[in-house]
Amino acid sequence: KQWYQRRVAITAGEWDSQRKNIIFALMPLTYLCFKATDQPIENNELVEHMLEFLRTDTVCYRAGPEDEQLQSMENNRWNPLTDWFSEHFHVHLALTTDITLTPQPEQTISSLRTHLLKQHPWALPAYHHSTTSLKSLVIAMAMLDGGLSAEEAIACSYLESDYQIDRWGEVEWQHTLDKARLSADVAAAVLLVNEVRSMSGDQLQAWS
C-alpha cells in the first residue's frame, strides 16, 4: 500500500547508511517510527511529560539585570518565540528572572494539553522527542507548529550554553558532537511531522 511504501521510504536512507553494526543512535527517524509503532507509553503520558518541560521551560527563565549581555541576547532571540507562542495558542506565558519555580497559568497548561492530545499518534512522539532534545516545549512547538527552522531552534536551545562557551571555552569536540546529534534528532522530528500532515484522511487512518 502507498502508506506502507512511504513509511519505508522515509527510513530507507538511515538503514542504507548502516554497515557492520546497526547503531540506532545514528537512526533518529527510525527511532521515532519505532516509538510510534511500539507505543510503550500512552499518549496522555507523553503529553504530561512535555507539559512538565513547560513548567520549567528555559525560554521562560531569563538572566537578571546583573548580566545585561546575556539578558539582551535572551530577549532578542526568545521574545519572538514567546510572543508567537502566546498569540498562536491564545495563552499567557509567565516569564521571570527569578531562579525559583514560577508556575504557568492552569489555563495555559490546559490549552496546550488539548492541542497536543489532538496530534496524530505518529506525530506525537516527534513532539515529545523534540521537546526533550531541545529541553523546551516552547522551542519545539515553534519549530513544529510555527515554522521555526531546525537550525534556529537549536540556536535558541543552546543560547545560554554558547554564551558560557564564548566566555570560558568548551570541551574539545564535545559541543560540536552534541549539536550534530541534536540536529539529526530535530530534523527527523520535523520530517516525520511534515510527512504526517501531508497525508489524506484515509492515509492517516492507515498509519494509526
Side-chain angles (χ1 to χ4, degrees), residues 12 107 116 147 180:
Q107 182 181 0
L116 289 167

Side-chain angles (χ1 to χ4, degrees), residues 35 40-55 57 85 108-121 123-129 131-132 136-138 141:
K35 190 173 181 180
I41 302 176
E42 294 294 331
N43 286 345
N44 63 325
E45 293 182 51
L46 288 179
V47 169
E48 293 306 316
H49 188 226
M50 283 186 275
L51 292 174
E52 287 299 319
F53 277 81
L54 181 65
R55 293 182 174 95
D57 203 294
F85 194 91
T108 298
I109 299 294
S110 178
S111 296
L112 294 173
R113 179 183 290 114
T114 299
H115 173 77
L116 289 167
L117 286 172
K118 289 179 180 177
Q119 300 306 311
H120 188 272
L124 194 58
Y127 273 81
H128 181 262
H129 193 57
T131 300
T132 57
S136 167
L137 180 60
V138 174
M141 294 183 76

Side-chain angles (χ1 to χ4, degrees), residues 126-169:
Y127 273 81
H128 181 262
H129 193 57
S130 297
T131 300
T132 57
S133 297
L134 294 165
K135 299 179 174 59
S136 167
L137 180 60
V138 174
I139 297 174
M141 294 183 76
M143 180 180 70
L144 296 174
D145 289 293
L148 184 72
S149 70
E151 292 78 8
E152 183 62 20
I154 292 169
C156 288
S157 176
Y158 265 82
L159 188 150
E160 291 178 332
S161 177
D162 287 341
Y163 173 75
Q164 296 299 334
I165 287 172
D166 286 343
R167 296 184 67 185
W168 309 110

Side-chain angles (χ1 to χ4, degrees), residues 15-206:
W15 285 95
D16 287 344
S17 69
Q18 301 300 303
R19 294 295 181 262
K20 182 177 181 181
N21 298 313
I22 295 176
I23 305 174
F24 279 104
L26 302 179
M27 304 171 70
L29 191 55
T30 299
Y31 166 79
L32 289 178
C33 290
F34 282 174
K35 190 173 181 180
T37 303
D38 295 340
Q39 293 183 330
I41 302 176
E42 294 294 331
N43 286 345
N44 63 325
E45 293 182 51
L46 288 179
V47 169
E48 293 306 316
H49 188 226
M50 283 186 275
L51 292 174
E52 287 299 319
F53 277 81
L54 181 65
R55 293 182 174 95
T56 57
D57 203 294
T58 185
V59 302
C60 296
Y61 290 80
R62 308 294 178 86
E66 68 279 0
D67 195 338
E68 293 184 5
Q69 182 181 0
L70 178 58
Q71 186 183 62
S72 176
M73 291 171 62
E74 290 174 344
N75 290 340
N76 288 337
R77 179 150 269 168
W78 290 348
N79 280 355
L81 295 185
T82 54
D83 289 346
W84 168 85
F85 194 91
S86 296
E87 181 178 352
H88 184 79
F89 295 109
H90 306 289
V91 298
H92 171 71
L93 276 180
L95 308 181
T96 183
T97 58
D98 198 327
I99 61 173
T100 60
L101 184 64
T102 300
Q104 296 295 336
E106 281 305 314
Q107 182 181 0
T108 298
I109 299 294
S110 178
S111 296
L112 294 173
R113 179 183 290 114
T114 299
H115 173 77
L116 289 167
L117 286 172
K118 289 179 180 177
Q119 300 306 311
H120 188 272
W122 273 75
L124 194 58
Y127 273 81
H128 181 262
H129 193 57
S130 297
T131 300
T132 57
S133 297
L134 294 165
K135 299 179 174 59
S136 167
L137 180 60
V138 174
I139 297 174
M141 294 183 76
M143 180 180 70
L144 296 174
D145 289 293
L148 184 72
S149 70
E151 292 78 8
E152 183 62 20
I154 292 169
C156 288
S157 176
Y158 265 82
L159 188 150
E160 291 178 332
S161 177
D162 287 341
Y163 173 75
Q164 296 299 334
I165 287 172
D166 286 343
R167 296 184 67 185
W168 309 110
E170 65 177 318
V171 177
E172 190 173 3
W173 299 112
Q174 188 62 50
H175 188 63
T176 302
L177 180 59
D178 288 345
K179 274 192 172 181
R181 288 172 176 165
L182 179 58
S183 179
D185 285 344
V186 298
V190 171
L191 179 60
L192 184 57
V193 169
N194 287 342
E195 178 68 16
V196 169
R197 287 176 176 163
S198 72
M199 292 184 176
S200 66
D202 290 343
Q203 290 171 327
L204 286 175
Q205 184 64 35

